[in-house]
């Protein structure tokens, strides 16, 4: 059995230099990079914190909002999956994981994220 822990849906604003409307392929590319970063971030972090070994973290694109001369807002949903062998009483909650996710995009973590996007 796998235990599913959904995180609170969230959005990320991207400032882009290319002119024109973003294509669906642009959203797909940034979403794939974003999902990979979130997976790597949680895999490393949860092992360090001893919060259980996730089998995987999935992040999906929920939509995007484009307005000329403004950052592009992209919305995501992330779900963490834990194996049934993990200690269920010590699994992080939705709230705990959401706080950890927020930390993925501040300070040094934000610099790593931006570097991965470029």
């Amino acid at each position: 059995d796998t235990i599913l822990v959904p995180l609170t849906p969230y959005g990320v604003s991207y400032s882009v230099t290319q002119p024109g409307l973003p294509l669906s392929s642009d959203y797909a590319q940034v979403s794939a990079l974003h999902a990979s970063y979130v997976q790597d971030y949680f895999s490393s972090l949860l092992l360090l914190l001893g919060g259980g070994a996730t089998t995987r973290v999935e992040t999906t694109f929920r939509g995007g909002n484009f307005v000329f001369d403004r950052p592009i807002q992209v919305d995501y949903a992330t779900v963490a999956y834990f194996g049934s062998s993990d200690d269920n009483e010590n699994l992080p909650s939705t709230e705990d994981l959401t706080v950890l996710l927020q930390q993925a995009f501040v300070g040094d973590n934000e610099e790593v994220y931006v570097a991965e996007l470029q």
Side-chain angles (χ1 to χ4, degrees):
D1 277 349
T2 301
I3 301 163
L4 174 136
V5 181
L7 283 70
T8 303
Y10 60 98
V12 176
S13 295
Y14 299 94
S15 296
V16 296
T17 56
Q18 74 183 41
L21 295 169
L23 304 173
S24 59
S25 60
D26 296 325
Y27 285 115
Q29 182 179 19
V30 76
S31 295
L33 291 169
H34 180 85
S36 176
Y37 172 79
V38 170
Q39 170 67 44
D40 292 347
Y41 173 79
F42 271 109
S43 293
S44 299
L45 187 63
L46 290 174
L47 287 176
L48 285 174
L49 296 175
T54 57
T55 53
R56 70 185 186 280
V57 174
E58 289 184 357
T59 300
T60 55
F61 170 78
R62 293 178 45 128
N65 185 19
F66 174 79
V67 177
F68 279 105
D69 297 327
R70 300 221 176 201
I72 298 170
Q73 174 77 19
V74 179
D75 297 321
Y76 298 102
T78 297
V79 177
Y81 297 88
F82 294 88
S84 60
S85 62
D86 293 326
D87 181 1
N88 293 349
E89 291 183 17
N90 291 321
L91 289 178
S93 67
T94 293
E95 294 79 16
D96 292 338
L97 290 174
T98 298
V99 168
L100 291 174
L101 178 64
Q102 291 168 346
Q103 295 302 309
F105 304 103
V106 296
D108 292 341
N109 292 332
E110 180 182 28
E111 291 177 21
V112 171
Y113 180 66
V114 170
E116 288 192 19
L117 291 176
Q118 297 176 349

